[in-house]
Every structure is written in C-alpha cells, then in structure tokens.
Amino acid sequence: MRLYLAVAVLMLAFVAYTEAQDDTSIQDRFDKFGQKLTEIGQSLAEKTKTAFHDIHNSEFGTSTRNWFTDAFQKIKDKIEEMRQ
C-alpha cells in the first residue's frame, strides 16, 4: 500500500513540476482561448452560410419558392377578381 501511495505522490509531484515549467502566462492562455473561439465562430459561420446556400439552390428550395410564388399569385388574382 505504501508503494502505491509513494508512486501516486511522485506522479503528482512530477505533474506539478512540469506545469510549473510552462512559461505561458494567464494572459497568453486567455489570448489563445479567444483566438480559438474566434476560429470556431468563423468556422461555424462559414458552415452555416454554405448550408443555407445549398438549401437555397437545391431542387426542394427552388420548387418550394415556385409553389409559394404561384400560390401567392393565385390569391392576388382571386382578390382582384372579387374587387371587380
């Protein structure tokens, strides 16, 4: 049992030592974090833009727009017909 405890303490000491050797400051870490968030945001925006473009140009999108245009025109025609 003592051997396992000693090994665990040595591992914790080694981890603490290696983290202490890291020269990056808190400010640097926040800067890197901000840059990563910016990259993720830009990537997400580009993927969303591509998805909307693909949907807009798909057969389903085109046929749906045409159907709504035709239905709206029919409604306008009926309203115009009722006015006369």
Side-chain angles (χ1 to χ4, degrees):
M1 181 69 174
R2 287 184 182 174
L3 181 60
Y4 293 124
L5 185 59
V7 171
V9 169
L10 285 174
M11 289 299 291
L12 288 174
F14 179 70
V15 168
Y17 175 75
T18 55
E19 286 184 6
Q21 296 298 317
D22 194 10
D23 290 336
T24 58
S25 67
I26 298 294
Q27 182 66 34
D28 292 338
R29 289 182 184 181
F30 278 124
D31 289 342
K32 288 180 183 177
F33 181 70
Q35 290 172 352
K36 288 289 184 184
L37 283 179
T38 302
E39 290 172 10
I40 290 169
Q42 289 173 345
S43 174
L44 181 63
E46 185 63 33
K47 288 177 183 178
T48 304
K49 181 179 176 182
T50 302
F52 278 122
H53 186 265
D54 290 346
I55 291 170
H56 181 74
N57 292 334
S58 70
E59 182 180 342
F60 173 75
T62 304
S63 64
T64 303
R65 275 192 313 279
N66 290 340
W67 182 84
F68 275 113
T69 302
D70 292 342
F72 187 66
Q73 187 62 42
K74 288 178 185 178
I75 292 170
K76 282 174 50 177
D77 292 343
K78 284 191 181 204
I79 290 174
E80 188 63 36
E81 183 180 298
M82 290 170 60
R83 284 183 159 180
Q84 293 177 358

